[in-house]
Every structure is written in C-alpha cells, then in structure tokens.
Amino acid sequence: MKRNIGKRILALGLSAVLAGSLLAGCTGGGTSSDSASTDSGKLQISFWHSMSGNTQEALDKVVAGFNESQDQYEVVATNQGSYDESTGKFFNMANGEDSAAIIQIGEQNLQSMIDSQMIASVSDLIEKHEFDDSDLLEQEVNFYTVDGDMWAMPFNCSTPVVYYNKTAFEEAGVTEFPTTFEGIKEAAQKLADSGSSITPVGMYAYGYALDQMVINMGGYVIDNENGRAGRATQVAYQDQITAIYNWIKDLQDSELLLNYGSDGTNTISGFTQQQVGMFIASSASCRNVIDSSTDFEVGVANLPVPEGTEPEGVYGGGGALCIATGLSEDVEAGVMAFCEYATSPEVQAQWAVDTGYFPICNGAYDTETLTAAYEEMPQLQVAADQLLNSKVNSITAGPLLSQLPQLRTDLVTALEAVFNGGEVESSVQQAVESTNSAIATANEGVTE
C-alpha cells in the first residue's frame, strides 16, 4: 500500500515553503509558459544538478545528446552546488518561477524530498507516460521506492569500495586481497613486515561508507526496517558500528593505519603517492584513482565484513532525478522523454565510462561501450559487481531518513574521536544520542 504523502505536513522548516508553493500556483520553474520556449521553438526544461569537473562535462554531453536527438525540448542544465545545497534552494523556491523541473538529488535527500510534497511520484509518471522501466536495476529501484512508489528516477549510481595497491600487496605475498576484517589486518601486517615504506592502511571518517558497511554486515542503519516499514524513530546500527570501530582501532593500535581525520582528498592523494596501501571511498572515484596511480596497479575489492558474516551487499546510492509537481502536460512529457534518453543503455554505458558511475539499467552492461571499458579497466567491473550481486531486501533498500546527513556526520565525529584515542563504546553512544535527538525533534514536526 502506498504511503499517503498527501497527509504529511512538515512543521519544521518546510511549512512556509509548502505554503508559498500553494499560493504561487507553481508551474515547475516557469517551464509551462510560452515564454519558456527558446528561439528555436523548443520548450525549455530546467535541470538542476550537482556535478562538477569531469562529471559535469559528462553530464553536459548527456544533455547535449538529448537536445540534439529531437526538436521539441531543450534541457537547460545548471550546477546548483552540492546535493544538500541544491535541495535547499529547491525547497526555498517552492516550485515557483525559475525553479527546476528536474533536480538531481543524493540518496541522503530522498526522505526530505518526499516529505516536501514538492516532487511527483515517478511511478505515477511512468504509468501515465507508458515509460518502460523494466530494464532498471532492481537494486536501484529498491532504494528509491517507498510503499510501492518510486520517488526518483535512478541516474548516477555509486557505492563505497576498497582501493588497494595491488603491486605492493602482491610483492608482500598477498596474491588475493581479502574481504574480511581479520584478513585485511593479516594482509596489512604482511605489507608492514615486508619492509615497504608504505603504511598498509589509510583511513578517513566517511559516513556514507560506514552506513554501507553496516548494511553489508546485515544490519539496519535505523529502526523500522531502515525506515521502510514506518518512519524511523532511532538508529539501529550499534552492534555493527561498534565492530567496525573496534577493527579500525585495532589497526591503528597495531601501527598499521594512518588516519586522515575526515579528509578524503588527502587520503586519495596519499594512496596515489604510495604513502598508504589501501583505503575506502566511493566507486565514483574509481577512474580518477586509476588514472592518478601511474607507478603501480590499482586493485578494487568489496567492502569487508567480519569473518563468519555473509555479506548482504550494498544499497544503490549515488544520485537520482526528482521531478517537480505542478508541471504542465507538455513540460512533463519533455521531462519523461529526457528520463527515457538518460536511462537508455548506450547513454548509461557512455556515462559510466566517462565518470566511473555504474549504469542503472541492465542493457548497458551488454553494450560494446561498457564491455570495452571493463576490458581496459576491470576494476570498474569489480565495483559494479558488488552492487549487481547484492541481495534485494529491506536491509539493502538502505536507510530512509531525512536526518541521514546528520547521522553520517555523527558517525564521522565518533570515528574521529576513536582516531584520537577515545573509547569506542562511549564514542558510539554519543553518536547514537545525537542522531536520536535529531530524529525525535524532526518527527515532532511531522503528522501522518
């Protein structure tokens, strides 16, 4: 049964936004009026995104390809900062004039977008416009679906993976990189004992990787089955996070780990400069890491679990496309035409090659484009297979929580405390209390 979003009203922060949208009689960024047409006669569709650098170049290629493929619509893509910054602007615009018809969100923004009542059910639009969604990855659909409704169109998918210096570990006698906590410590000790100048493990506090590791260990990040059976009221990760932090602390106490605080950029730099032998980061960095590691071979492995634990898999994180409510029929049709193009196999395959993201449709994995890329860089396929081989259930649906950014920040703060000599149990408890307090406060402003 679909959750009745129409009865949900946010009293904290979004109520004024929602009221403004009702008064404005929103049209999805002014895209429904005749003035939205270009000089060429095409109907403009505003698309807000959070890509930058090479990923923005790749996205611009996708948009240009769509605009050239037909003569009815012109998608205008603009960077609006980070996912959180972009969604904040979207809420403030209240679906008024000059707002977006399409907005790219991060997986952490899903619950807030649903709560805002400012986005349409993608499932409803799929049915209305006879959009063929049968090729979309079930792991991706699983994350973005709530009570039978998919609320965002999957687009750019990534998950955390382990990067390791394959050359250095093989020279130390590690021919097959392990995927357990205990195995990684043993491999790290072999590298240290080999006389190498490389510190075996580099680690930074990365909240997204931490909650994905909880999932991979078979745990829920939050209660009520990751917020899928009902609105989350508290965190549920304590057992898994404690095990993860104890593993990290053991590596550090054994002088096998160099901690980088919360600095992911310096962690990657330390790896490519052979200061550290392995680290955990998003698969979206895969191509960049490989290209930057000119003096050794890069390996990629799945997220580790404790010995005796069967990996559950990961959820399809990264980004997706939300569609504003209140669009005119012609703009709505153009938005769905763009979604059809952007999620097609060849476009997704080229997008994956250009960026390192995973294709979100099955057909892309059969294209010559992706097959050739995987032959050239098999590490990309290892990263994708971690998602493709993941189980599809309420655990790997992933956490649905408007306070997910805070949850991750609290986990980062706790791990930094452990890095600095703090006790694992007390650090975890502080994170639990901080996040639970934020969840309780937010839930007070929500009525069903």
PDB file of all heavy atoms in Angstrom, residues 71 85 189 232 290 339 381 412 433 435:
ATOM      1  N   ASP A  71      13.431  17.605 -31.647  1.00  0.00           N
ATOM      2  CA  ASP A  71      13.253  19.034 -31.933  1.00  0.00           C
ATOM      3  C   ASP A  71      12.145  19.684 -31.119  1.00  0.00           C
ATOM      4  O   ASP A  71      11.683  20.775 -31.438  1.00  0.00           O
ATOM      5  CB  ASP A  71      12.992  19.247 -33.425  1.00  0.00           C
ATOM      6  CG  ASP A  71      11.767  18.479 -33.922  1.00  0.00           C
ATOM      7  OD1 ASP A  71      11.026  17.925 -33.080  1.00  0.00           O
ATOM      8  OD2 ASP A  71      11.559  18.437 -35.150  1.00  0.00           O
ATOM      9  N   GLU A  85      22.956  21.551  -0.886  1.00  0.00           N
ATOM     10  CA  GLU A  85      22.745  22.956  -1.251  1.00  0.00           C
ATOM     11  C   GLU A  85      21.650  23.083  -2.313  1.00  0.00           C
ATOM     12  O   GLU A  85      20.788  23.964  -2.238  1.00  0.00           O
ATOM     13  CB  GLU A  85      24.051  23.562  -1.777  1.00  0.00           C
ATOM     14  CG  GLU A  85      25.115  23.747  -0.707  1.00  0.00           C
ATOM     15  CD  GLU A  85      26.469  24.099  -1.289  1.00  0.00           C
ATOM     16  OE1 GLU A  85      26.699  23.870  -2.494  1.00  0.00           O
ATOM     17  OE2 GLU A  85      27.320  24.604  -0.522  1.00  0.00           O
ATOM     18  N   GLN A 189      49.597  -6.576   7.915  1.00  0.00           N
ATOM     19  CA  GLN A 189      50.793  -6.946   8.674  1.00  0.00           C
ATOM     20  C   GLN A 189      51.877  -7.495   7.733  1.00  0.00           C
ATOM     21  O   GLN A 189      53.070  -7.205   7.913  1.00  0.00           O
ATOM     22  CB  GLN A 189      50.443  -7.987   9.734  1.00  0.00           C
ATOM     23  CG  GLN A 189      51.559  -8.262  10.734  1.00  0.00           C
ATOM     24  CD  GLN A 189      51.884  -7.027  11.563  1.00  0.00           C
ATOM     25  OE1 GLN A 189      51.033  -6.494  12.282  1.00  0.00           O
ATOM     26  NE2 GLN A 189      53.131  -6.559  11.474  1.00  0.00           N
ATOM     27  N   ALA A 232      11.313   6.149  10.719  1.00  0.00           N
ATOM     28  CA  ALA A 232      12.349   5.801  11.686  1.00  0.00           C
ATOM     29  C   ALA A 232      12.240   6.665  12.936  1.00  0.00           C
ATOM     30  O   ALA A 232      11.925   7.853  12.871  1.00  0.00           O
ATOM     31  CB  ALA A 232      13.729   5.971  11.065  1.00  0.00           C
ATOM     32  N   ILE A 290      42.525   5.371 -10.610  1.00  0.00           N
ATOM     33  CA  ILE A 290      43.329   4.565 -11.526  1.00  0.00           C
ATOM     34  C   ILE A 290      44.215   5.457 -12.395  1.00  0.00           C
ATOM     35  O   ILE A 290      45.419   5.214 -12.554  1.00  0.00           O
ATOM     36  CB  ILE A 290      42.428   3.680 -12.402  1.00  0.00           C
ATOM     37  CG1 ILE A 290      41.702   2.647 -11.546  1.00  0.00           C
ATOM     38  CG2 ILE A 290      43.244   2.979 -13.479  1.00  0.00           C
ATOM     39  CD1 ILE A 290      40.606   1.898 -12.286  1.00  0.00           C
ATOM     40  N   CYS A 339      14.202  11.560 -19.335  1.00  0.00           N
ATOM     41  CA  CYS A 339      14.497  10.406 -18.479  1.00  0.00           C
ATOM     42  C   CYS A 339      14.675   9.146 -19.312  1.00  0.00           C
ATOM     43  O   CYS A 339      15.553   8.320 -19.027  1.00  0.00           O
ATOM     44  CB  CYS A 339      13.384  10.212 -17.454  1.00  0.00           C
ATOM     45  SG  CYS A 339      13.361  11.448 -16.130  1.00  0.00           S
ATOM     46  N   GLN A 381      34.514  -3.005 -13.258  1.00  0.00           N
ATOM     47  CA  GLN A 381      33.532  -4.093 -13.206  1.00  0.00           C
ATOM     48  C   GLN A 381      33.446  -4.692 -11.814  1.00  0.00           C
ATOM     49  O   GLN A 381      32.353  -5.051 -11.357  1.00  0.00           O
ATOM     50  CB  GLN A 381      33.871  -5.177 -14.223  1.00  0.00           C
ATOM     51  CG  GLN A 381      32.825  -6.283 -14.267  1.00  0.00           C
ATOM     52  CD  GLN A 381      33.008  -7.225 -15.434  1.00  0.00           C
ATOM     53  OE1 GLN A 381      33.951  -7.093 -16.201  1.00  0.00           O
ATOM     54  NE2 GLN A 381      32.093  -8.174 -15.573  1.00  0.00           N
ATOM     55  N   VAL A 412      30.902  10.237  11.695  1.00  0.00           N
ATOM     56  CA  VAL A 412      32.227  10.798  11.412  1.00  0.00           C
ATOM     57  C   VAL A 412      32.853  11.352  12.683  1.00  0.00           C
ATOM     58  O   VAL A 412      34.028  11.096  12.986  1.00  0.00           O
ATOM     59  CB  VAL A 412      32.127  11.891  10.335  1.00  0.00           C
ATOM     60  CG1 VAL A 412      33.400  12.723  10.274  1.00  0.00           C
ATOM     61  CG2 VAL A 412      31.848  11.271   8.967  1.00  0.00           C
ATOM     62  N   GLU A 433      23.103   9.121  20.630  1.00  0.00           N
ATOM     63  CA  GLU A 433      22.285  10.114  21.322  1.00  0.00           C
ATOM     64  C   GLU A 433      22.060  11.351  20.465  1.00  0.00           C
ATOM     65  O   GLU A 433      20.952  11.912  20.434  1.00  0.00           O
ATOM     66  CB  GLU A 433      22.948  10.490  22.646  1.00  0.00           C
ATOM     67  CG  GLU A 433      22.961   9.355  23.670  1.00  0.00           C
ATOM     68  CD  GLU A 433      23.742   9.693  24.929  1.00  0.00           C
ATOM     69  OE1 GLU A 433      24.312  10.816  24.987  1.00  0.00           O
ATOM     70  OE2 GLU A 433      23.786   8.848  25.840  1.00  0.00           O
ATOM     71  N   THR A 435      22.109  11.637  17.095  1.00  0.00           N
ATOM     72  CA  THR A 435      21.218  11.362  15.968  1.00  0.00           C
ATOM     73  C   THR A 435      19.797  11.107  16.442  1.00  0.00           C
ATOM     74  O   THR A 435      18.834  11.614  15.847  1.00  0.00           O
ATOM     75  CB  THR A 435      21.719  10.159  15.158  1.00  0.00           C
ATOM     76  OG1 THR A 435      23.064  10.387  14.738  1.00  0.00           O
ATOM     77  CG2 THR A 435      20.851   9.946  13.929  1.00  0.00           C
TER      78      THR A 435
END
